[in-house]
């Protein structure tokens, strides 16, 4: 059980659970088009055990029971993502009626259960047909994405409580085009520079399209880390500064101040798209809220190998099953920093949680949530206007390059039988939220 009371968060505070389409849906035969994760995961060496999201948690069929789990825990909201290739199989043009029907059922299912839909338009499953045209490296994606956003606004906008354009643009751009860890798996500076700008430009054009088509309560979800230096040496502090700029300030600065950090512009050099400055007003369209996903800190030191600008080191703190240090103070620091330095719009913690070894008894996860919820309360005391908190994740699911090996769920999933079993952490939320909806 958690040690605090729901009242400490105030009556308006939103508690929710989060998932993403490719990680849970399965259901690939309703006319859904291929996505970059289908081919990336089918390529040997990219994903642990060669796991793919083909079946995942079969949420496509089992969603009623999954929504019951959300309601029964007492959550107010469900953060889910629409699958672009399920709705528009080629990325542009013809719409898949079965995809529209599926999300109609899902959104109505939330409303019937008194669960507020918090939607994400893009959680990484880019239609392959668009990757064939360069995907996020192609400036035209700003138009493709805006058209998709308009479709969502028209079909679902009046039923959505809140809508985010992009989940974690750092992952979409840098992790996937510079570090090569996620689809499409590029390791190329020019590819990264283009994706880093186009993902935020497309966010802005999507905000315009959503607003023009009547959608309300619009935001973006950034993954932020608490950047720290391994030592106080000037070299390590400089490494931390560049790490922080690449991970945090590029996205915060772009979206909230129409400004990219100079240290990153220097790093990207001639590879930035020409005339990007003209797009910055679109990149920084006013938002109604900001989502922050937080898991851990980043610890930096000066690179020991020539060519690499910086290195990350593993710190001494206790680690989750995926190797990430547990650092609740980082969440307080980030929320307060964003509030003091960037924006006064409402903040939501849109993801937070930990990977733990398989099992229904997960006391370390209960403690992780306890400490991070406490970190949110502390940030609020220090003036950050945090309005909600979403646990990642409702279910054990397809953890991208880690496949099914890493489990983040409040609910255990047996992938052979698709049986769901709530864990102790689920019951801890139930204890906190029960009877309060
Ligand atoms: C975030 C992703 C989410 C999940 C968690 C563990 O970066 O948004 O899909 O993989 O990490």
């Amino acid at each position: 059980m958690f040690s605090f009371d729901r009242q400490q968060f105030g009556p308006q505070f939103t508690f929710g659970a989060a998932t993403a389409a490719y990680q849970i849906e399965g259901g690939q035969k309703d006319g859904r088009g291929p996505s970059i994760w289908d081919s990336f995961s089918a390529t040997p060496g990219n994903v642990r055990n060669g796991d793919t999201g083909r079946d995942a948690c079969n949420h496509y069929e089992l969603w009623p029971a999954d929504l019951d789990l959300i309601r029964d825990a007492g959550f107010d909201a469900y953060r889910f993502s629409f699958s672009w290739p399920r709705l528009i199989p080629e990325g542009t043009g013809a719409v898949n009626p079965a995809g529209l029907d599926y999300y109609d059922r899902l959104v109505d299912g939330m409303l019937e259960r008194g669960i507020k839909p918090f939607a994400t338009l893009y959680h990484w499953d880019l239609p392959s047909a668009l990757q064939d045209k360069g995907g996020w490296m192609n400036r035209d994606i700003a138009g493709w994405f805006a058209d998709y956003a308009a479709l969502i606004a028209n079909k679902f906008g009046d039923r959505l409580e809140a809508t985010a354009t992009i989940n974690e643009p750092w992952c979409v751009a840098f992790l996937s085009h510079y570090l090569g860890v996620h689809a499409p798996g590029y390791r190329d500076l020019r590819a990264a520079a283009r994706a880093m700008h186009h993902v935020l430009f497309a966010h802005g054009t999507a905000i315009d399209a959503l607003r023009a088509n009547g959608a309300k309560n619009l935001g973006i979800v950034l993954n932020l880390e608490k950047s720290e230096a391994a030592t106080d040496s000037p070299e390590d502090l400089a490494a931390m500064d560049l790490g922080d700029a690449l991970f945090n300030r590029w996205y915060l600065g772009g979206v909230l101040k129409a400004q990219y950090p100079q240290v990153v512009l220097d790093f990207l050099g001639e590879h930035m798209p020409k005339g990007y400055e003209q797009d910055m007003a679109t990149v920084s369209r006013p938002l109604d809220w900001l989502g922050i996903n937080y898991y851990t800190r980043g610890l930096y030191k000066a690179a020991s190998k020539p060519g690499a600008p910086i290195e990350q080191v593993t710190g001494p703190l206790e680690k989750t099953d995926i190797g990430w240090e547990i650092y609740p103070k980082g969440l307080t620091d980030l929320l307060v920093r964003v509030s003091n330095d960037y924006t006064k719009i409402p903040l939501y913690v849109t993801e937070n949680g930990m990977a733990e070894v398989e099992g229904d008894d997960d006391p370390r996860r209960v403690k992780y949530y306890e400490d991070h919820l406490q970190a949110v309360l502390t940030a609020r005391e220090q003036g950050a206007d945090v309005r909600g908190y979403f646990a990642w994740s409702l279910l054990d699911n397809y953890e991208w390059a880690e496949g099914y090996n890493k489990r983040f769920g409040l609910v255990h999933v047996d992938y052979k039988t698709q049986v769901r079993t709530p864990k102790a952490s689920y019951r801890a939320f139930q204890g906190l939220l029960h009877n309060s909806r």
Side-chain angles (χ1 to χ4, degrees):
M1 296 297 275
F2 298 134
S3 68
F4 31 66
D5 198 78
R6 181 174 187 154
Q7 304 317 319
Q8 289 174 253
F9 293 86
Q12 302 303 326
F13 195 84
T14 299
F15 281 96
T19 66
Y22 190 78
Q23 294 179 275
I24 63 166
E25 282 181 352
Q28 315 243 342
K29 297 220 170 91
D30 70 344
R32 168 194 176 278
S35 86
I36 55 173
W37 270 93
D38 296 315
S39 55
F40 184 78
S41 61
T43 309
N46 283 344
V47 175
R48 192 193 276 249
N49 297 326
D51 290 345
T52 77
R54 200 192 57 193
D55 301 317
C57 307
N58 193 17
H59 182 72
Y60 187 77
E61 289 177 328
L62 301 179
W63 63 266
D66 293 340
L67 295 187
D68 287 350
L69 282 165
I70 295 171
R71 178 199 58 207
D72 294 347
F75 284 119
D76 311 296
Y78 177 35
R79 177 170 176 256
F80 70 106
S81 78
F82 287 103
S83 163
W84 187 350
R86 190 183 299 291
L87 285 166
I88 310 176
E90 296 290 308
T92 56
V95 173
N96 173 25
L100 286 177
D101 290 349
Y102 167 66
Y103 289 112
D104 263 332
R105 293 193 293 275
L106 186 69
V107 172
D108 287 346
M110 289 179 224
L111 298 177
E112 279 159 19
R113 289 167 180 79
I115 300 166
K116 294 174 183 159
F118 273 61
T120 303
L121 301 193
Y122 186 75
H123 201 130
W124 307 355
D125 45 355
L126 187 73
S128 300
L130 300 185
Q131 188 61 49
D132 296 344
K133 298 179 190 161
W136 295 103
M137 297 176 289
N138 186 339
R139 180 184 171 79
D140 290 348
I141 199 159
W144 307 331
F145 191 54
D147 290 347
Y148 164 54
L151 174 77
I152 301 276
N154 284 318
K155 299 288 181 187
F156 306 102
D158 54 345
R159 286 173 282 168
L160 300 176
E161 176 76 15
T163 302
T165 53
I166 304 278
N167 178 71
E168 302 193 346
W170 177 85
C171 293
V172 174
F174 203 75
L175 187 67
S176 307
H177 293 82
Y178 186 80
L179 299 175
V181 175
H182 279 183
Y186 280 84
R187 294 189 65 243
D188 187 273
L189 189 59
R190 179 179 163 98
R194 275 150 210 268
M196 286 165 71
H197 178 61
H198 294 151
V199 71
L200 294 186
F201 181 43
H203 150 74
T205 57
I207 289 287
D208 286 348
L210 287 165
R211 257 194 200 123
N213 288 279
K216 301 259 176 347
N217 204 14
L218 310 179
I220 185 171
V221 170
L222 305 180
N223 54 314
L224 302 181
E225 66 169 26
K226 178 73 197 305
S227 308
E228 298 188 349
T231 73
D232 284 344
S233 74
E235 294 79 15
D236 288 356
L237 287 168
M240 188 236 344
D241 182 67
L242 177 56
D244 182 65
L246 280 165
F247 207 99
N248 299 321
R249 301 205 303 274
W250 183 269
Y251 304 95
L252 288 166
V255 168
L256 299 164
K257 293 186 174 176
Q259 207 175 49
Y260 291 142
Q262 190 59 44
V263 64
V264 180
L265 289 171
D266 293 346
F267 169 73
L268 298 172
E270 64 193 323
H271 303 295
M272 274 297 282
K274 290 233 165 6
Y276 76 88
E277 296 89 344
Q278 273 75 59
D279 300 334
M280 295 311 284
T282 304
V283 166
S284 61
R285 284 288 187 259
L287 300 179
D288 302 302
W289 59 277
L290 178 71
I292 294 173
N293 294 352
Y294 175 77
Y295 289 93
T296 190
R297 67 173 174 172
L299 203 52
Y300 289 93
K301 73 178 185 70
S304 52
K305 295 181 212 104
I310 47 180
E311 264 174 44
Q312 282 223 19
V313 291
T314 310
L317 306 178
E318 183 184 344
K319 318 265 180 321
T320 70
D321 191 45
I322 207 167
W324 299 348
E325 285 187 305
I326 300 176
Y327 192 47
K329 177 177 178 295
L331 177 57
T332 304
D333 293 350
L334 277 170
L335 291 167
V336 172
R337 174 188 184 189
V338 169
S339 164
N340 287 346
D341 296 355
Y342 287 95
T343 185
K344 295 294 178 205
I345 59 175
L347 306 178
Y348 286 81
V349 176
T350 32
E351 284 180 29
N352 180 234
M354 72 175 275
E356 184 55 301
V357 291
E358 186 167 5
D360 311 340
D361 191 23
D362 55 350
R364 287 210 314 153
R365 184 181 279 115
V366 174
K367 176 153 171 39
Y368 183 101
Y369 279 123
E370 159 98 22
D371 293 347
H372 286 79
L373 285 167
Q374 188 58 58
V376 170
L377 286 173
T378 308
R380 278 161 51 109
E381 280 159 21
Q382 293 179 22
D385 185 9
V386 188
R387 304 275 181 98
Y389 176 95
F390 290 77
W392 183 272
S393 180
L394 176 67
L395 303 170
D396 288 340
N397 59 43
Y398 180 74
E399 180 43 38
W400 307 113
E402 297 293 334
Y404 295 100
N405 184 263
K406 297 297 175 220
R407 292 175 176 266
F408 277 87
L410 299 171
V411 175
H412 175 268
V413 176
D414 178 333
Y415 295 110
K416 290 205 186 71
T417 61
Q418 293 295 355
V419 168
R420 274 73 161 142
T421 309
K423 305 180 189 179
S425 50
Y426 175 93
R427 303 211 182 283
F429 275 103
Q430 205 168 32
L432 177 72
L433 305 174
H434 197 58
N435 290 334
S436 63
R437 287 181 60 204

